[in-house]
Amino acid sequence: MHRADHHPSRRAFLDVSGVALAAGLVAGCSPQPARSDRPDSSAAAPLAKVAATGRHQAGIALPRSAQRNLLAVVADLGAEVAPGPLLAELGEAVRALTAGSDPQLLGLAPGDLTVTVGVGPRLVRTAGATLPGAADLPRFSRERIAPQARGGDLLLQICASDALLLPVVAAALLDRAGDRVRERWRQSGRRGTEVPVADGLTAPRNLLGFIDGIVGPHTTAEQERDLWLAGPPAVAGGTLAVLRRMELDLTRFAALSVAEQEAVFGRRRDSGVPLSGGTVASGPQLAAKTPDGRYLVPVDAHVRRANPTAVGVGHMLRRSYSTDEPLGLLFVSFQNDLRTFTATLTRMDASDALLPFTTTTASATFLILPGFDQRHPLGSRLFG
């Protein structure tokens, strides 16, 4: 994470080559073999580009399987900065970067790069105090959050299969914003091995060894119901994001037996199948009991405490990433009602066997702006 007093500027771009090299080493890049005149038939095919424009921003439901690497940058706008022109410029930069036409890519192919832009509650309230996204996240238990790591005006979520792209794209976007923004915090992460959970749907393993993000609004109908904002017109097609960076007590969790770990989650560790049976995609049968009257899914299991039906809320779409520094998880969820998250975490706070292994060190919520195109710049419906 960068220091809180970091001021993004054009100077930041000059350091990007060293940062990109470091990112490549972390990602496990190996020396390139000597060139050969013969074509390399084993070379991976170019990744399909993800369109930056449309009804919704990319990086949420598209691509369907989230890219392996993420960098989230949270920043504040200067007090006198008008958000409309800045967002429009960032949208143009996103289009150029994802198309591969921006020279600040340093010759890197964009592949499946996506950049998702959100605005924080303070900016949303300037457009309307009752708009979705105008409310701040409440505070919860098990938080150890420095002031600089709580909230923020601007989110840049950068995702790509190529880890080298992340710092390069962040530097280009912050260079475009110049002195109009001040960075608060940033966090990089990567997804574990993807495991098939249903037809055409995969989910990754997290640092605790369990499959993460099985439940969610995956079909178009489910996403229209629980993910995308239907209105008012200024925000229609957008969604609400929650970011929570959590440290995990990996050592203490690993000391549990496999059966104890499975009781914490309420799922089998190897397969992801609920303890109540079925398949990995099956919903847990919360009423199912053993012959002697014990619940198959323990009363404090995570899948029970966070179950949308039990909470009485819709589903979240999660695109969470494991982190090295700190060792833990960057939880990212998208939903069209902030209560989907807040009510769920409130119920988990009361009794969830997973929470004692977590400490939240950063927290923010953002209105993810509706999609954009050449005729309708990013953010123009809200700040036009």
Side-chain angles (χ1 to χ4, degrees):
M1 187 174 71
H2 281 208
R3 297 182 304 168
D5 60 354
H6 175 67
H7 290 264
S9 70
R10 285 170 172 78
R11 290 189 299 273
F13 179 70
L14 299 178
D15 296 328
V16 72
S17 58
V19 176
L21 176 60
L25 294 174
V26 170
C29 293
S30 58
Q32 294 297 312
R35 288 189 177 185
S36 169
D37 293 334
R38 291 177 299 174
D40 183 5
S41 60
S42 66
L47 291 166
K49 293 180 180 178
V50 182
T53 56
R55 181 186 172 209
H56 312 296
Q57 288 194 65
I60 305 167
L62 291 176
R64 191 176 188 196
S65 292
Q67 303 95 318
R68 186 170 177 82
N69 302 290
L70 169 144
L71 173 62
V73 179
V74 177
D76 282 341
L77 272 63
E80 304 302 319
V81 173
L86 172 62
L87 292 169
E89 288 183 38
L90 289 176
E92 286 302 304
V94 169
R95 289 181 62 220
L97 288 162
T98 55
S101 60
D102 192 319
Q104 291 192 0
L105 278 175
L106 304 177
L108 294 174
D112 58 359
L113 169 70
T114 60
V115 181
T116 311
V117 181
V119 292
R122 185 186 73 85
L123 293 186
V124 176
R125 288 193 290 267
T126 66
T130 62
L131 285 170
D136 292 294
L137 272 180
R139 301 193 179 205
F140 297 94
S141 67
R142 306 184 190 280
E143 292 184 342
R144 190 177 69 240
I145 303 175
Q148 281 294 114
R150 189 183 295 277
D153 289 339
L154 180 69
L155 168 67
L156 302 174
Q157 176 192 275
I158 306 165
C159 299
S161 292
D162 183 356
L164 286 174
L165 284 165
L166 305 186
V168 174
V169 170
L173 292 169
L174 293 174
D175 179 59
R176 186 71 173 252
D179 295 334
R180 291 173 291 181
V181 303
R182 175 188 174 93
E183 185 172 329
R184 292 176 70 95
W185 60 278
R186 65 169 61 193
Q187 183 63 54
S188 59
R190 61 178 181 268
R191 287 167 71 88
T193 302
E194 295 283 335
V195 178
V197 297
D199 289 342
L201 181 65
T202 63
R205 291 194 183 274
N206 58 30
L207 281 175
L208 299 179
F210 283 78
I211 302 174
D212 194 358
I214 297 170
V215 177
H218 299 305
T219 69
T220 300
E222 290 169 343
Q223 290 173 2
E224 291 298 327
R225 182 191 67 205
D226 292 332
L227 175 61
W228 305 119
L229 290 164
V235 301
T239 187
L240 303 176
V242 170
L243 277 71
R244 303 270 287 180
R245 185 182 63 206
M246 293 178 280
E247 294 183 7
L248 297 178
D249 193 339
L250 194 61
T251 301
R252 191 160 63 88
F253 187 83
L256 301 177
S257 68
V258 174
E260 289 172 326
Q261 293 175 9
E262 292 176 340
V264 167
F265 275 91
R267 290 183 180 272
R268 301 296 179 195
R269 191 178 70 181
D270 59 347
S271 65
V273 171
L275 296 184
S276 54
T279 67
V280 61
S282 300
Q285 301 302 308
L286 300 182
K289 295 183 179 181
T290 63
D292 61 357
R294 292 180 294 108
Y295 283 112
L296 291 174
V297 177
V299 294
D300 60 351
H302 178 62
V303 298
R304 179 184 292 274
R305 302 304 301 177
N307 183 271
T309 301
V311 179
V313 295
H315 287 79
M316 308 175 198
L317 183 67
R318 288 175 287 157
R319 290 170 65 100
S320 299
Y321 286 73
S322 295
T323 63
D324 293 327
E325 183 58 43
L327 185 65
L329 176 75
L330 182 64
F331 171 91
V332 184
S333 71
F334 300 96
Q335 53 275 301
N336 58 15
D337 186 344
L338 190 60
R339 184 178 173 274
T340 298
F341 173 81
T342 57
T344 300
L345 189 50
T346 297
R347 189 170 189 270
M348 290 169 57
D349 257 348
S351 175
D352 188 311
L354 180 60
L355 286 192
F357 298 95
T358 71
T359 301
T360 299
T361 60
S363 179
T365 182
F366 298 92
L367 166 66
I368 302 300
L369 296 164
F372 64 101
D373 54 32
Q374 286 184 304
R375 295 182 55 196
H376 304 94
L378 180 67
S380 60
R381 284 189 275 168
L382 192 63
F383 298 108

